[in-house]
Amino acid sequence: MTLLDRIMQFLNGDMARPVPYQSLSASWFHYLALAIAITAAVIAVKSLHHADEKKLRRFLLAFAGLLLTFEAYKQLIFSYQAGWNYQWYIFPFQFCSTPMYVALVAGLTKNAKIRQALVDFLGTYGLFAGLAVMLYPNDVFINTIGINIQTMVHHGAMMVVGIALLANKVRLTSKSILGATAVFAILVGTAILMNSAYNAWIGVPTFNMFFINPVYGNHLPILSQIEPLVPHPVFIMIYIVGFALVAYLMLLIGIVAHKPFGKTEKAVLSRPTEAQR
């Protein structure tokens, strides 16, 4: 047995498939992941408070690096499990995969407007995706230890970063959703192009980025029921609008959470100084 085989066997270790919201013995893995994510979110919010541009960019790059490292493991282990045949269905461009690319670009770009739109995406769309999986991880757990760790780190980090960015955004307005949705629409367009190219030139099942490849359809709640009823271009518009509404809800929660701080800050700023008296 080669060293590579030994390493891959170690990384491919098995565990009982975790289940959410059951007894402690059955759901300890999920409870532990939630506890770590919540603790990390509190630390991240405090750490990012009043962060300057340099600290924000380091924060985003660290997040991207963490996710990319675990994603590399995921790609490697699934290929190993399939006899080193690449499994196209795990190609890393699903909706939940995109925050690692978005954060990487946001951490590297010097264009303030582009970075703001990317940050708004992470604080709304990214936060929603991370929360959804962390709270309802029914479909993501398997029997491989490393993959279960990877998915909890990935989605937990999305939740942590989304909360930290949303909590520390000084000026939250409804218009913040526009830049975030523009980023999402670009990502959806990229997924459409990738699905079309795969269908035309490769065609070996299954490749369904963002779960909008018309060849395979999707399994997402509500959307899976709508898709057969409308033309595909109409479904794509419904898909974008639907995600935008949920992301907007994340933004509204952030705006409401900032209101007490905003009122206090305004009161302090309007208070006359000793010199003015």
Side-chain angles (χ1 to χ4, degrees), residues 52-54 56-57 60 102 105-121 169 176 179-180 183:
D52 57 17
E53 179 184 336
K54 185 177 180 181
L56 173 62
R57 291 172 67 177
L60 293 170
V102 170
V105 176
L108 293 175
T109 184
K110 294 183 179 180
N111 187 304
K113 290 184 177 180
I114 293 177
R115 181 169 59 251
Q116 190 58 62
L118 298 173
V119 166
D120 289 341
F121 172 85
K169 189 172 168 63
S176 299
V183 173

Side-chain angles (χ1 to χ4, degrees), residues 182-214:
V183 173
F184 180 65
I186 291 171
L187 294 171
V188 170
T190 303
I192 291 172
L193 291 175
M194 294 173 71
N195 286 331
S196 300
Y198 185 87
N199 294 342
W201 294 312
I202 301 178
V204 179
T206 306
F207 188 86
N208 194 5
M209 300 303 99
F210 277 53
F211 302 111
I212 54 174
N213 189 332

Side-chain angles (χ1 to χ4, degrees), residues 84-107:
W84 293 114
N85 293 311
Y86 187 70
Q87 303 301 292
W88 284 101
Y89 74 92
I90 57 146
F91 188 84
F93 201 79
Q94 295 291 6
F95 174 43
C96 287
S97 304
T98 56
M100 59 189 177
Y101 309 125
V102 170
L104 181 63
V105 176

Side-chain angles (χ1 to χ4, degrees), residues 32-52:
L32 177 61
L34 277 175
I36 293 174
I38 292 170
T39 303
V42 173
I43 295 172
V45 168
K46 293 182 178 180
S47 175
L48 211 61
H49 190 53
H50 295 315
D52 57 17

Side-chain angles (χ1 to χ4, degrees), residues 11 19 21 34 41 44-45 74 78 117 171 174 176 178 182 211-212 222 224 237 252:
L11 295 176
V19 293
Y21 305 117
L34 277 175
V45 168
K74 174 184 171 182
F78 273 117
R171 296 182 183 276
S174 295
S176 299
L178 298 178
F211 302 111
I212 54 174
I222 301 177
S224 60
M237 293 304 300
L252 290 179

Side-chain angles (χ1 to χ4, degrees), residues 9-20:
Q9 282 193 3
F10 173 77
L11 295 176
N12 195 36
D14 288 339
M15 70 181 296
R17 182 175 179 176
V19 293

